[in-house]
Amino acid sequence: MSKPSVYVTRMIPADCIAALREHFDVDVNPDDRALTHEDLKQQVRGRDAVISLLTDRIDGEVLDAAGRQCKIVANYAVGFNNFDIDAATARNVILTNTPGVLDDATATLTFTLLLATARRIGESERFVRQGEWQGWAPMAFVGLDVDRRTLGIAGLGRIGKNVARKAAGFDMKIIYSDVRRDLDFEASFNAVYVDKPTLLAQSDFLTLHVPLLPETKHYIGAAELRQMKKTAVLINASRGPVVDEAALVEALREKIIWGAGLDVFEEEPALAPGLAALDNVVIVPHIASATTETRLKMGEIAVRNIVNVLAGKAPDTCVNPEVLRQISRDF
Ligand code: DGY
């Protein structure tokens, strides 16, 4: 009997592919580039399972192209705004993500951006490499203090909390905003729950950890940027469209806020016009989860979910659990 067929839309750690091959016939996109939507539809045809990336739009067209035998699309990411959840649920396709294993790496990168922006690491490094350094100078690259400053956290999920743990080492005062209050968190971190206007007005460093939803698109726009301190720094390692990038470029150019550290962008890999020319922004290419161990663990979750689902069992993680209830299996 032939083995179930699994498609992986781009190379992930080789150990994960090897683990898949123990159970399935596996094809991997041989090119180190994201597939076009058309290519994706071609490649998923007849597959029983797919490992997708956040760059792959998994919508009704893709699922119809895959066919009714396709049981699961496992995202190699914790974020899943690339999924059309309703389309998958209507077709009884299980969608999974990789929560939990990338909190440390993502919070570390968030804090790296915070420190790099405050201490002007990007521009001072460029200055040295370009051979412009003439020696120690009292007024060169003077930045911001981080210790004992106020850190605002928008979205208190696992990653937001992990950032708070790192901030504790700098004695930062924590304020946060979320749809829910977390009294245990407040007690552990001496943190204060605030509304959005207070978060904007009081944060010295504001870090975004909300998921991308219709309600969080442009959570930070021109009006919000004007409510922030002139000395404030904005950090975004969540999803690009949470920030109105054109408004941010304007605010950085006009010194409405002091700086920004960005891992994510509205139209990746394109940057908003003018962004790359600004010195008061640190820009990295969506690398928050990019550590060897984290990327391996993300793959392990995706593989385990596929093995379980194709064996008729429940996946460890599922973003459309209605499907688990809908389908008549012994979950
Ligand atoms: C995610 O997992 O959602 C990150 O953005 C990429 O690792």
Side-chain angles (χ1 to χ4, degrees), residues 7 9 40 44 48-53 56-59 62-63 66 70-76 82-83 88 92-97 302 305-306 309 317-320:
Y7 188 69
T9 66
L40 184 59
V44 298
D48 299 287
V50 176
I51 292 188
S52 59
L53 308 184
D56 301 317
R57 183 157 48 86
I58 303 296
D59 56 14
V62 170
L63 297 171
C70 183
K71 300 279 183 300
I72 170 170
V73 180
N75 227 23
Y76 185 70
N82 57 311
F83 283 159
N92 280 342
V93 176
I94 293 169
L95 301 174
T96 68
N97 65 340
N305 281 339
I306 290 179
V309 168
T317 67
C318 182
V319 304
N320 60 343

PDB file of all heavy atoms in Angstrom, residues 7 9 40 44 48-53 56-59 62-63 66 70-76 82-83 88 92-97 302 305-306 309 317-320:
ATOM      1  N   TYR A   7       3.484  17.265   1.434  1.00  0.00           N
ATOM      2  CA  TYR A   7       4.257  18.293   0.726  1.00  0.00           C
ATOM      3  C   TYR A   7       4.737  19.344   1.732  1.00  0.00           C
ATOM      4  O   TYR A   7       3.983  19.790   2.589  1.00  0.00           O
ATOM      5  CB  TYR A   7       3.412  18.965  -0.363  1.00  0.00           C
ATOM      6  CG  TYR A   7       4.270  19.868  -1.215  1.00  0.00           C
ATOM      7  CD1 TYR A   7       5.225  19.339  -2.073  1.00  0.00           C
ATOM      8  CD2 TYR A   7       4.163  21.249  -1.123  1.00  0.00           C
ATOM      9  CE1 TYR A   7       6.055  20.158  -2.826  1.00  0.00           C
ATOM     10  CE2 TYR A   7       4.976  22.085  -1.884  1.00  0.00           C
ATOM     11  CZ  TYR A   7       5.920  21.521  -2.729  1.00  0.00           C
ATOM     12  OH  TYR A   7       6.751  22.329  -3.476  1.00  0.00           O
ATOM     13  N   THR A   9       6.385  23.110   1.853  1.00  0.00           N
ATOM     14  CA  THR A   9       6.438  24.208   0.877  1.00  0.00           C
ATOM     15  C   THR A   9       7.798  24.893   0.799  1.00  0.00           C
ATOM     16  O   THR A   9       8.023  25.684  -0.120  1.00  0.00           O
ATOM     17  CB  THR A   9       5.350  25.263   1.159  1.00  0.00           C
ATOM     18  OG1 THR A   9       5.641  25.890   2.412  1.00  0.00           O
ATOM     19  CG2 THR A   9       3.964  24.657   1.195  1.00  0.00           C
ATOM     20  N   LEU A  40       1.740  26.863  -5.482  1.00  0.00           N
ATOM     21  CA  LEU A  40       1.256  26.178  -4.279  1.00  0.00           C
ATOM     22  C   LEU A  40       0.073  25.273  -4.648  1.00  0.00           C
ATOM     23  O   LEU A  40       0.033  24.088  -4.267  1.00  0.00           O
ATOM     24  CB  LEU A  40       0.847  27.248  -3.260  1.00  0.00           C
ATOM     25  CG  LEU A  40       0.383  26.804  -1.877  1.00  0.00           C
ATOM     26  CD1 LEU A  40       1.470  25.991  -1.174  1.00  0.00           C
ATOM     27  CD2 LEU A  40       0.034  28.025  -1.028  1.00  0.00           C
ATOM     28  N   VAL A  44       0.253  21.117  -4.095  1.00  0.00           N
ATOM     29  CA  VAL A  44      -0.490  20.427  -3.026  1.00  0.00           C
ATOM     30  C   VAL A  44      -1.484  19.391  -3.576  1.00  0.00           C
ATOM     31  O   VAL A  44      -2.036  18.608  -2.800  1.00  0.00           O
ATOM     32  CB  VAL A  44      -1.250  21.430  -2.111  1.00  0.00           C
ATOM     33  CG1 VAL A  44      -0.280  22.367  -1.416  1.00  0.00           C
ATOM     34  CG2 VAL A  44      -2.304  22.200  -2.891  1.00  0.00           C
ATOM     35  N   ASP A  48      -1.936  14.368   1.199  1.00  0.00           N
ATOM     36  CA  ASP A  48      -2.731  14.075   2.401  1.00  0.00           C
ATOM     37  C   ASP A  48      -2.453  15.098   3.498  1.00  0.00           C
ATOM     38  O   ASP A  48      -3.268  15.272   4.405  1.00  0.00           O
ATOM     39  CB  ASP A  48      -2.388  12.671   2.916  1.00  0.00           C
ATOM     40  CG  ASP A  48      -2.718  11.628   1.860  1.00  0.00           C
ATOM     41  OD1 ASP A  48      -3.919  11.374   1.669  1.00  0.00           O
ATOM     42  OD2 ASP A  48      -1.785  11.122   1.200  1.00  0.00           O
ATOM     43  N   ALA A  49      -1.297  15.743   3.413  1.00  0.00           N
ATOM     44  CA  ALA A  49      -0.928  16.733   4.433  1.00  0.00           C
ATOM     45  C   ALA A  49       0.084  17.689   3.828  1.00  0.00           C
ATOM     46  O   ALA A  49       0.804  17.335   2.886  1.00  0.00           O
ATOM     47  CB  ALA A  49      -0.324  16.039   5.651  1.00  0.00           C
ATOM     48  N   VAL A  50       0.114  18.892   4.387  1.00  0.00           N
ATOM     49  CA  VAL A  50       1.038  19.920   3.886  1.00  0.00           C
ATOM     50  C   VAL A  50       1.682  20.600   5.092  1.00  0.00           C
ATOM     51  O   VAL A  50       1.005  20.871   6.089  1.00  0.00           O
ATOM     52  CB  VAL A  50       0.263  20.978   3.056  1.00  0.00           C
ATOM     53  CG1 VAL A  50       1.191  22.112   2.612  1.00  0.00           C
ATOM     54  CG2 VAL A  50      -0.429  20.329   1.850  1.00  0.00           C
ATOM     55  N   ILE A  51       2.991  20.860   4.994  1.00  0.00           N
ATOM     56  CA  ILE A  51       3.623  21.779   5.946  1.00  0.00           C
ATOM     57  C   ILE A  51       3.768  23.101   5.209  1.00  0.00           C
ATOM     58  O   ILE A  51       4.384  23.169   4.138  1.00  0.00           O
ATOM     59  CB  ILE A  51       4.994  21.276   6.440  1.00  0.00           C
ATOM     60  CG1 ILE A  51       4.792  20.030   7.304  1.00  0.00           C
ATOM     61  CG2 ILE A  51       5.711  22.381   7.247  1.00  0.00           C
ATOM     62  CD1 ILE A  51       6.032  19.530   8.027  1.00  0.00           C
ATOM     63  N   SER A  52       3.162  24.147   5.784  1.00  0.00           N
ATOM     64  CA  SER A  52       3.137  25.463   5.133  1.00  0.00           C
ATOM     65  C   SER A  52       3.936  26.464   5.952  1.00  0.00           C
ATOM     66  O   SER A  52       4.240  26.240   7.126  1.00  0.00           O
ATOM     67  CB  SER A  52       1.690  25.944   5.007  1.00  0.00           C
ATOM     68  OG  SER A  52       1.101  26.033   6.292  1.00  0.00           O
ATOM     69  N   LEU A  53       4.231  27.586   5.319  1.00  0.00           N
ATOM     70  CA  LEU A  53       4.937  28.683   5.984  1.00  0.00           C
ATOM     71  C   LEU A  53       4.009  29.875   6.092  1.00  0.00           C
ATOM     72  O   LEU A  53       2.987  29.939   5.407  1.00  0.00           O
ATOM     73  CB  LEU A  53       6.156  29.108   5.164  1.00  0.00           C
ATOM     74  CG  LEU A  53       7.144  28.043   4.747  1.00  0.00           C
ATOM     75  CD1 LEU A  53       8.316  28.713   4.033  1.00  0.00           C
ATOM     76  CD2 LEU A  53       7.633  27.251   5.939  1.00  0.00           C
ATOM     77  N   ASP A  56       2.757  31.355   2.886  1.00  0.00           N
ATOM     78  CA  ASP A  56       1.836  30.606   2.015  1.00  0.00           C
ATOM     79  C   ASP A  56       0.390  30.913   2.403  1.00  0.00           C
ATOM     80  O   ASP A  56      -0.033  30.569   3.517  1.00  0.00           O
ATOM     81  CB  ASP A  56       2.041  29.086   2.186  1.00  0.00           C
ATOM     82  CG  ASP A  56       3.460  28.647   1.861  1.00  0.00           C
ATOM     83  OD1 ASP A  56       4.016  29.131   0.862  1.00  0.00           O
ATOM     84  OD2 ASP A  56       4.002  27.815   2.627  1.00  0.00           O
ATOM     85  N   ARG A  57      -0.359  31.520   1.499  1.00  0.00           N
ATOM     86  CA  ARG A  57      -1.778  31.784   1.795  1.00  0.00           C
ATOM     87  C   ARG A  57      -2.555  30.489   1.591  1.00  0.00           C
ATOM     88  O   ARG A  57      -2.648  29.973   0.478  1.00  0.00           O
ATOM     89  CB  ARG A  57      -2.287  32.901   0.879  1.00  0.00           C
ATOM     90  CG  ARG A  57      -3.707  33.313   1.136  1.00  0.00           C
ATOM     91  CD  ARG A  57      -3.967  34.733   0.636  1.00  0.00           C
ATOM     92  NE  ARG A  57      -3.472  34.942  -0.720  1.00  0.00           N
ATOM     93  CZ  ARG A  57      -4.139  34.664  -1.839  1.00  0.00           C
ATOM     94  NH1 ARG A  57      -5.356  34.156  -1.767  1.00  0.00           N
ATOM     95  NH2 ARG A  57      -3.623  34.897  -3.030  1.00  0.00           N
ATOM     96  N   ILE A  58      -3.058  29.953   2.694  1.00  0.00           N
ATOM     97  CA  ILE A  58      -3.812  28.695   2.614  1.00  0.00           C
ATOM     98  C   ILE A  58      -5.290  29.054   2.648  1.00  0.00           C
ATOM     99  O   ILE A  58      -5.885  29.292   3.703  1.00  0.00           O
ATOM    100  CB  ILE A  58      -3.439  27.758   3.799  1.00  0.00           C
ATOM    101  CG1 ILE A  58      -1.923  27.485   3.835  1.00  0.00           C
ATOM    102  CG2 ILE A  58      -4.245  26.466   3.730  1.00  0.00           C
ATOM    103  CD1 ILE A  58      -1.363  26.735   2.648  1.00  0.00           C
ATOM    104  N   ASP A  59      -5.886  29.112   1.459  1.00  0.00           N
ATOM    105  CA  ASP A  59      -7.290  29.517   1.354  1.00  0.00           C
ATOM    106  C   ASP A  59      -8.105  28.407   0.690  1.00  0.00           C
ATOM    107  O   ASP A  59      -7.595  27.303   0.423  1.00  0.00           O
ATOM    108  CB  ASP A  59      -7.389  30.853   0.586  1.00  0.00           C
ATOM    109  CG  ASP A  59      -6.733  30.762  -0.798  1.00  0.00           C
ATOM    110  OD1 ASP A  59      -6.455  29.623  -1.250  1.00  0.00           O
ATOM    111  OD2 ASP A  59      -6.507  31.804  -1.422  1.00  0.00           O
ATOM    112  N   VAL A  62      -6.609  26.831  -2.489  1.00  0.00           N
ATOM    113  CA  VAL A  62      -5.496  25.893  -2.261  1.00  0.00           C
ATOM    114  C   VAL A  62      -6.042  24.568  -1.719  1.00  0.00           C
ATOM    115  O   VAL A  62      -5.627  23.482  -2.157  1.00  0.00           O
ATOM    116  CB  VAL A  62      -4.464  26.513  -1.275  1.00  0.00           C
ATOM    117  CG1 VAL A  62      -3.434  25.479  -0.834  1.00  0.00           C
ATOM    118  CG2 VAL A  62      -3.780  27.713  -1.928  1.00  0.00           C
ATOM    119  N   LEU A  63      -6.988  24.661  -0.801  1.00  0.00           N
ATOM    120  CA  LEU A  63      -7.525  23.429  -0.201  1.00  0.00           C
ATOM    121  C   LEU A  63      -8.320  22.630  -1.240  1.00  0.00           C
ATOM    122  O   LEU A  63      -8.238  21.395  -1.266  1.00  0.00           O
ATOM    123  CB  LEU A  63      -8.383  23.776   1.017  1.00  0.00           C
ATOM    124  CG  LEU A  63      -7.589  24.448   2.143  1.00  0.00           C
ATOM    125  CD1 LEU A  63      -8.526  24.969   3.230  1.00  0.00           C
ATOM    126  CD2 LEU A  63      -6.562  23.488   2.744  1.00  0.00           C
ATOM    127  N   ALA A  66      -5.852  20.920  -3.349  1.00  0.00           N
ATOM    128  CA  ALA A  66      -5.261  19.756  -2.659  1.00  0.00           C
ATOM    129  C   ALA A  66      -6.185  18.548  -2.804  1.00  0.00           C
ATOM    130  O   ALA A  66      -5.734  17.449  -3.121  1.00  0.00           O
ATOM    131  CB  ALA A  66      -5.042  20.089  -1.185  1.00  0.00           C
ATOM    132  N   CYS A  70      -7.064  15.645   1.696  1.00  0.00           N
ATOM    133  CA  CYS A  70      -6.101  16.409   2.509  1.00  0.00           C
ATOM    134  C   CYS A  70      -6.697  16.654   3.895  1.00  0.00           C
ATOM    135  O   CYS A  70      -7.755  17.259   4.039  1.00  0.00           O
ATOM    136  CB  CYS A  70      -5.776  17.745   1.828  1.00  0.00           C
ATOM    137  SG  CYS A  70      -4.536  18.670   2.756  1.00  0.00           S
ATOM    138  N   LYS A  71      -5.994  16.159   4.917  1.00  0.00           N
ATOM    139  CA  LYS A  71      -6.555  16.188   6.276  1.00  0.00           C
ATOM    140  C   LYS A  71      -6.008  17.320   7.121  1.00  0.00           C
ATOM    141  O   LYS A  71      -6.640  17.751   8.072  1.00  0.00           O
ATOM    142  CB  LYS A  71      -6.205  14.875   7.018  1.00  0.00           C
ATOM    143  CG  LYS A  71      -6.716  13.617   6.368  1.00  0.00           C
ATOM    144  CD  LYS A  71      -8.177  13.413   6.729  1.00  0.00           C
ATOM    145  CE  LYS A  71      -8.733  12.130   6.168  1.00  0.00           C
ATOM    146  NZ  LYS A  71      -8.684  12.044   4.694  1.00  0.00           N
ATOM    147  N   ILE A  72      -4.772  17.747   6.825  1.00  0.00           N
ATOM    148  CA  ILE A  72      -4.131  18.693   7.735  1.00  0.00           C
ATOM    149  C   ILE A  72      -3.154  19.600   6.980  1.00  0.00           C
ATOM    150  O   ILE A  72      -2.431  19.138   6.088  1.00  0.00           O
ATOM    151  CB  ILE A  72      -3.388  17.951   8.893  1.00  0.00           C
ATOM    152  CG1 ILE A  72      -2.510  18.926   9.694  1.00  0.00           C
ATOM    153  CG2 ILE A  72      -2.590  16.752   8.410  1.00  0.00           C
ATOM    154  CD1 ILE A  72      -1.932  18.348  10.972  1.00  0.00           C
ATOM    155  N   VAL A  73      -3.169  20.885   7.372  1.00  0.00           N
ATOM    156  CA  VAL A  73      -2.108  21.802   6.958  1.00  0.00           C
ATOM    157  C   VAL A  73      -1.445  22.281   8.247  1.00  0.00           C
ATOM    158  O   VAL A  73      -2.095  22.873   9.120  1.00  0.00           O
ATOM    159  CB  VAL A  73      -2.641  22.995   6.145  1.00  0.00           C
ATOM    160  CG1 VAL A  73      -1.492  23.914   5.751  1.00  0.00           C
ATOM    161  CG2 VAL A  73      -3.378  22.500   4.898  1.00  0.00           C
ATOM    162  N   ALA A  74      -0.169  21.965   8.380  1.00  0.00           N
ATOM    163  CA  ALA A  74       0.571  22.276   9.611  1.00  0.00           C
ATOM    164  C   ALA A  74       1.480  23.463   9.323  1.00  0.00           C
ATOM    165  O   ALA A  74       2.415  23.355   8.532  1.00  0.00           O
ATOM    166  CB  ALA A  74       1.387  21.051  10.037  1.00  0.00           C
ATOM    167  N   ASN A  75       1.187  24.605   9.960  1.00  0.00           N
ATOM    168  CA  ASN A  75       2.014  25.792   9.724  1.00  0.00           C
ATOM    169  C   ASN A  75       3.320  25.655  10.492  1.00  0.00           C
ATOM    170  O   ASN A  75       3.314  25.299  11.678  1.00  0.00           O
ATOM    171  CB  ASN A  75       1.276  27.041  10.241  1.00  0.00           C
ATOM    172  CG  ASN A  75       1.281  28.177   9.242  1.00  0.00           C
ATOM    173  OD1 ASN A  75       1.441  27.953   8.039  1.00  0.00           O
ATOM    174  ND2 ASN A  75       1.091  29.390   9.729  1.00  0.00           N
ATOM    175  N   TYR A  76       4.405  25.983   9.812  1.00  0.00           N
ATOM    176  CA  TYR A  76       5.718  26.012  10.468  1.00  0.00           C
ATOM    177  C   TYR A  76       5.899  27.427  11.046  1.00  0.00           C
ATOM    178  O   TYR A  76       6.748  28.202  10.624  1.00  0.00           O
ATOM    179  CB  TYR A  76       6.784  25.678   9.419  1.00  0.00           C
ATOM    180  CG  TYR A  76       8.194  25.555   9.923  1.00  0.00           C
ATOM    181  CD1 TYR A  76       8.588  24.490  10.719  1.00  0.00           C
ATOM    182  CD2 TYR A  76       9.158  26.507   9.579  1.00  0.00           C
ATOM    183  CE1 TYR A  76       9.895  24.376  11.172  1.00  0.00           C
ATOM    184  CE2 TYR A  76      10.461  26.396  10.020  1.00  0.00           C
ATOM    185  CZ  TYR A  76      10.819  25.329  10.822  1.00  0.00           C
ATOM    186  OH  TYR A  76      12.114  25.214  11.263  1.00  0.00           O
ATOM    187  N   ASN A  82      -1.931  33.549   7.825  1.00  0.00           N
ATOM    188  CA  ASN A  82      -1.941  33.098   6.427  1.00  0.00           C
ATOM    189  C   ASN A  82      -3.030  32.051   6.171  1.00  0.00           C
ATOM    190  O   ASN A  82      -3.243  31.641   5.040  1.00  0.00           O
ATOM    191  CB  ASN A  82      -0.573  32.502   6.051  1.00  0.00           C
ATOM    192  CG  ASN A  82      -0.169  31.352   6.952  1.00  0.00           C
ATOM    193  OD1 ASN A  82      -0.229  31.459   8.168  1.00  0.00           O
ATOM    194  ND2 ASN A  82       0.245  30.249   6.375  1.00  0.00           N
ATOM    195  N   PHE A  83      -3.700  31.607   7.229  1.00  0.00           N
ATOM    196  CA  PHE A  83      -4.758  30.600   7.071  1.00  0.00           C
ATOM    197  C   PHE A  83      -6.117  31.263   6.896  1.00  0.00           C
ATOM    198  O   PHE A  83      -6.450  32.189   7.654  1.00  0.00           O
ATOM    199  CB  PHE A  83      -4.884  29.743   8.346  1.00  0.00           C
ATOM    200  CG  PHE A  83      -3.836  28.683   8.548  1.00  0.00           C
ATOM    201  CD1 PHE A  83      -3.606  28.186   9.830  1.00  0.00           C
ATOM    202  CD2 PHE A  83      -3.107  28.152   7.502  1.00  0.00           C
ATOM    203  CE1 PHE A  83      -2.670  27.186  10.061  1.00  0.00           C
ATOM    204  CE2 PHE A  83      -2.161  27.144   7.726  1.00  0.00           C
ATOM    205  CZ  PHE A  83      -1.953  26.666   9.001  1.00  0.00           C
ATOM    206  N   ALA A  88     -10.967  26.315   5.750  1.00  0.00           N
ATOM    207  CA  ALA A  88     -10.467  24.994   6.163  1.00  0.00           C
ATOM    208  C   ALA A  88     -11.510  24.261   6.995  1.00  0.00           C
ATOM    209  O   ALA A  88     -11.739  23.058   6.806  1.00  0.00           O
ATOM    210  CB  ALA A  88      -9.165  25.151   6.942  1.00  0.00           C
ATOM    211  N   ASN A  92     -13.338  20.589   6.569  1.00  0.00           N
ATOM    212  CA  ASN A  92     -12.851  19.614   7.565  1.00  0.00           C
ATOM    213  C   ASN A  92     -11.341  19.405   7.510  1.00  0.00           C
ATOM    214  O   ASN A  92     -10.851  18.286   7.733  1.00  0.00           O
ATOM    215  CB  ASN A  92     -13.550  18.262   7.404  1.00  0.00           C
ATOM    216  CG  ASN A  92     -14.917  18.279   8.051  1.00  0.00           C
ATOM    217  OD1 ASN A  92     -15.196  19.153   8.888  1.00  0.00           O
ATOM    218  ND2 ASN A  92     -15.770  17.355   7.668  1.00  0.00           N
ATOM    219  N   VAL A  93     -10.612  20.442   7.173  1.00  0.00           N
ATOM    220  CA  VAL A  93      -9.143  20.329   7.179  1.00  0.00           C
ATOM    221  C   VAL A  93      -8.621  20.899   8.498  1.00  0.00           C
ATOM    222  O   VAL A  93      -8.964  22.025   8.886  1.00  0.00           O
ATOM    223  CB  VAL A  93      -8.520  21.104   5.996  1.00  0.00           C
ATOM    224  CG1 VAL A  93      -6.993  21.047   6.069  1.00  0.00           C
ATOM    225  CG2 VAL A  93      -9.013  20.534   4.670  1.00  0.00           C
ATOM    226  N   ILE A  94      -7.815  20.120   9.181  1.00  0.00           N
ATOM    227  CA  ILE A  94      -7.248  20.542  10.465  1.00  0.00           C
ATOM    228  C   ILE A  94      -6.063  21.480  10.194  1.00  0.00           C
ATOM    229  O   ILE A  94      -5.214  21.186   9.340  1.00  0.00           O
ATOM    230  CB  ILE A  94      -6.787  19.301  11.266  1.00  0.00           C
ATOM    231  CG1 ILE A  94      -8.006  18.468  11.669  1.00  0.00           C
ATOM    232  CG2 ILE A  94      -5.966  19.704  12.485  1.00  0.00           C
ATOM    233  CD1 ILE A  94      -7.661  17.103  12.224  1.00  0.00           C
ATOM    234  N   LEU A  95      -6.035  22.593  10.916  1.00  0.00           N
ATOM    235  CA  LEU A  95      -4.941  23.560  10.792  1.00  0.00           C
ATOM    236  C   LEU A  95      -4.186  23.593  12.112  1.00  0.00           C
ATOM    237  O   LEU A  95      -4.803  23.695  13.177  1.00  0.00           O
ATOM    238  CB  LEU A  95      -5.496  24.962  10.502  1.00  0.00           C
ATOM    239  CG  LEU A  95      -6.349  25.115   9.244  1.00  0.00           C
ATOM    240  CD1 LEU A  95      -6.947  26.520   9.184  1.00  0.00           C
ATOM    241  CD2 LEU A  95      -5.515  24.840   7.988  1.00  0.00           C
ATOM    242  N   THR A  96      -2.852  23.535  12.024  1.00  0.00           N
ATOM    243  CA  THR A  96      -2.084  23.564  13.277  1.00  0.00           C
ATOM    244  C   THR A  96      -0.971  24.597  13.182  1.00  0.00           C
ATOM    245  O   THR A  96      -0.588  25.035  12.093  1.00  0.00           O
ATOM    246  CB  THR A  96      -1.473  22.181  13.595  1.00  0.00           C
ATOM    247  OG1 THR A  96      -0.457  21.876  12.634  1.00  0.00           O
ATOM    248  CG2 THR A  96      -2.517  21.082  13.606  1.00  0.00           C
ATOM    249  N   ASN A  97      -0.442  24.978  14.348  1.00  0.00           N
ATOM    250  CA  ASN A  97       0.683  25.922  14.422  1.00  0.00           C
ATOM    251  C   ASN A  97       1.706  25.399  15.435  1.00  0.00           C
ATOM    252  O   ASN A  97       1.594  24.244  15.871  1.00  0.00           O
ATOM    253  CB  ASN A  97       0.169  27.326  14.779  1.00  0.00           C
ATOM    254  CG  ASN A  97      -0.438  27.393  16.171  1.00  0.00           C
ATOM    255  OD1 ASN A  97      -0.825  26.373  16.738  1.00  0.00           O
ATOM    256  ND2 ASN A  97      -0.523  28.582  16.717  1.00  0.00           N
ATOM    257  N   ALA A 302       5.251  20.332  13.961  1.00  0.00           N
ATOM    258  CA  ALA A 302       4.514  20.178  12.699  1.00  0.00           C
ATOM    259  C   ALA A 302       4.487  18.707  12.276  1.00  0.00           C
ATOM    260  O   ALA A 302       3.442  18.173  11.872  1.00  0.00           O
ATOM    261  CB  ALA A 302       5.152  21.051  11.618  1.00  0.00           C
ATOM    262  N   ASN A 305       2.217  16.617  14.534  1.00  0.00           N
ATOM    263  CA  ASN A 305       0.800  16.866  14.242  1.00  0.00           C
ATOM    264  C   ASN A 305       0.351  16.083  13.011  1.00  0.00           C
ATOM    265  O   ASN A 305      -0.741  15.497  12.994  1.00  0.00           O
ATOM    266  CB  ASN A 305       0.565  18.365  14.031  1.00  0.00           C
ATOM    267  CG  ASN A 305       0.494  19.116  15.363  1.00  0.00           C
ATOM    268  OD1 ASN A 305       0.236  18.518  16.410  1.00  0.00           O
ATOM    269  ND2 ASN A 305       0.726  20.415  15.323  1.00  0.00           N
ATOM    270  N   ILE A 306       1.208  16.044  11.999  1.00  0.00           N
ATOM    271  CA  ILE A 306       0.835  15.313  10.776  1.00  0.00           C
ATOM    272  C   ILE A 306       0.786  13.806  11.047  1.00  0.00           C
ATOM    273  O   ILE A 306      -0.171  13.118  10.653  1.00  0.00           O
ATOM    274  CB  ILE A 306       1.816  15.659   9.632  1.00  0.00           C
ATOM    275  CG1 ILE A 306       1.575  17.110   9.196  1.00  0.00           C
ATOM    276  CG2 ILE A 306       1.657  14.695   8.460  1.00  0.00           C
ATOM    277  CD1 ILE A 306       2.487  17.603   8.102  1.00  0.00           C
ATOM    278  N   VAL A 309      -2.457  13.151  13.043  1.00  0.00           N
ATOM    279  CA  VAL A 309      -3.715  13.317  12.301  1.00  0.00           C
ATOM    280  C   VAL A 309      -3.869  12.225  11.243  1.00  0.00           C
ATOM    281  O   VAL A 309      -4.943  11.637  11.093  1.00  0.00           O
ATOM    282  CB  VAL A 309      -3.797  14.732  11.684  1.00  0.00           C
ATOM    283  CG1 VAL A 309      -4.938  14.826  10.674  1.00  0.00           C
ATOM    284  CG2 VAL A 309      -3.988  15.767  12.795  1.00  0.00           C
ATOM    285  N   THR A 317      -1.542  20.552  18.637  1.00  0.00           N
ATOM    286  CA  THR A 317      -1.975  21.950  18.585  1.00  0.00           C
ATOM    287  C   THR A 317      -2.965  22.047  17.444  1.00  0.00           C
ATOM    288  O   THR A 317      -2.820  21.353  16.439  1.00  0.00           O
ATOM    289  CB  THR A 317      -0.784  22.885  18.281  1.00  0.00           C
ATOM    290  OG1 THR A 317      -0.331  22.631  16.944  1.00  0.00           O
ATOM    291  CG2 THR A 317       0.371  22.676  19.246  1.00  0.00           C
ATOM    292  N   CYS A 318      -3.965  22.895  17.597  1.00  0.00           N
ATOM    293  CA  CYS A 318      -4.955  23.021  16.523  1.00  0.00           C
ATOM    294  C   CYS A 318      -5.567  24.413  16.604  1.00  0.00           C
ATOM    295  O   CYS A 318      -5.940  24.863  17.692  1.00  0.00           O
ATOM    296  CB  CYS A 318      -6.043  21.952  16.694  1.00  0.00           C
ATOM    297  SG  CYS A 318      -7.277  21.998  15.387  1.00  0.00           S
ATOM    298  N   VAL A 319      -5.634  25.113  15.485  1.00  0.00           N
ATOM    299  CA  VAL A 319      -6.189  26.468  15.530  1.00  0.00           C
ATOM    300  C   VAL A 319      -7.647  26.502  15.073  1.00  0.00           C
ATOM    301  O   VAL A 319      -8.285  27.551  15.159  1.00  0.00           O
ATOM    302  CB  VAL A 319      -5.322  27.479  14.732  1.00  0.00           C
ATOM    303  CG1 VAL A 319      -3.898  27.479  15.235  1.00  0.00           C
ATOM    304  CG2 VAL A 319      -5.378  27.227  13.237  1.00  0.00           C
ATOM    305  N   ASN A 320      -8.172  25.381  14.592  1.00  0.00           N
ATOM    306  CA  ASN A 320      -9.612  25.312  14.268  1.00  0.00           C
ATOM    307  C   ASN A 320     -10.216  24.047  14.893  1.00  0.00           C
ATOM    308  O   ASN A 320     -10.629  23.119  14.195  1.00  0.00           O
ATOM    309  CB  ASN A 320      -9.860  25.382  12.750  1.00  0.00           C
ATOM    310  CG  ASN A 320      -9.206  24.256  11.975  1.00  0.00           C
ATOM    311  OD1 ASN A 320      -8.307  23.583  12.477  1.00  0.00           O
ATOM    312  ND2 ASN A 320      -9.675  24.038  10.759  1.00  0.00           N
TER     313      ASN A 320
END
